[in-house]
Amino acid sequence: MDFFGDLTILSGLGLILALGLALSFEFVNGFHDTANAFATVIYTEESDTKTLQSFNSQLGPITEFIPNWVKVAVALALGCGTMIGWKRIVVTVGEKIGKEHLTYAQGASAELVAMFTIYAADHFGLPVSTTHVLSSGIAGTMAANGSGLQKETLKNILLAWLLTLPVCMFMGAALFAASLFLLSSVLGLH
């Protein structure tokens, strides 16, 4: 199968630029998402500053160097997840936010905005959703291009944004309460 047979030099350069920006976006995204994952582990107990500094000094030598096998394992996990769920995301982002298909220039603009927004949020310690930032950037490029936005898709995205926080809070509370009940009542642990 010839994937690149119909590419002109200009669209080929656009593709290379888009791929480079996508990789840069994922690199910056790693700053943010990895920190979110570790935050749930590190801050499971209330700690004073002295305890956290001690923890940081002990953890520093371990976290300053990430072994290659860990990098490869994470890359494989991300790759496998992407191979399984890629089509739905690609179709939504590339075709369903705007009334026209996303162009390389629009994708590049949205990726740059998302990359700098995530980097700034990471720098200032602000919580952001990379999915929300990127899809908003794409909607912005569609609006600026005058190609129009698909209101039904935007409504679904907005509904997902509004429901994510309360639903996850409720599910987290319910799971925690069920675990406490199981440990205390059923297993007799206090």
Side-chain angles (χ1 to χ4, degrees):
M1 183 180 280
D2 185 16
F3 289 109
F4 304 109
D6 295 334
L7 281 181
T8 64
I9 291 176
L10 185 59
S11 62
L13 290 174
L15 176 61
I16 290 169
L17 175 65
L19 288 173
L21 286 171
L23 291 172
S24 299
F25 170 79
E26 287 304 323
F27 177 75
V28 172
N29 186 20
F31 298 162
H32 186 74
D33 286 350
T34 304
N36 285 338
F38 277 107
T40 59
V41 175
I42 293 171
Y43 292 105
T44 55
E45 295 286 328
E46 289 185 33
S47 301
D48 59 15
T49 304
K50 188 176 180 181
T51 304
L52 290 175
Q53 287 173 343
S54 172
F55 181 71
N56 186 34
S57 67
Q58 293 170 9
L59 192 61
I62 298 168
T63 58
E64 288 174 4
F65 173 76
I66 300 172
N68 286 334
W69 70 268
V70 172
K71 293 176 188 177
V72 170
V74 169
L76 286 173
L78 287 171
C80 289
T82 302
M83 285 191 297
I84 293 168
W86 71 273
K87 190 170 186 177
R88 182 172 176 218
I89 295 166
V90 168
V91 168
T92 298
V93 167
E95 298 177 8
K96 290 188 177 180
I97 292 176
K99 291 184 178 177
E100 295 178 7
H101 287 212
L102 187 69
T103 66
Y104 291 137
Q106 289 172 308
S109 297
E111 293 263 349
L112 277 171
V113 167
M115 183 171 51
F116 286 117
T117 302
I118 293 165
Y119 182 77
D122 181 64
H123 178 74
F124 293 111
L126 301 171
V128 294
S129 164
T130 55
T131 303
H132 297 172
V133 170
L134 183 58
S135 56
S136 296
I138 290 168
T141 66
M142 293 293 180
N145 191 37
S147 58
L149 298 167
Q150 293 192 39
K151 289 186 169 86
E152 189 64 29
T153 301
L154 292 181
K155 185 182 84 173
N156 290 338
I157 290 172
L158 182 61
L159 188 60
W161 289 352
L162 292 174
L163 292 178
T164 298
L165 185 62
V167 168
C168 288
M169 287 173 61
F170 173 75
M171 290 173 63
L175 181 61
F176 182 71
S179 299
L180 283 180
F181 174 78
L182 180 69
L183 289 173
S184 63
S185 299
V186 177
L187 298 176
L189 299 175
H190 296 286

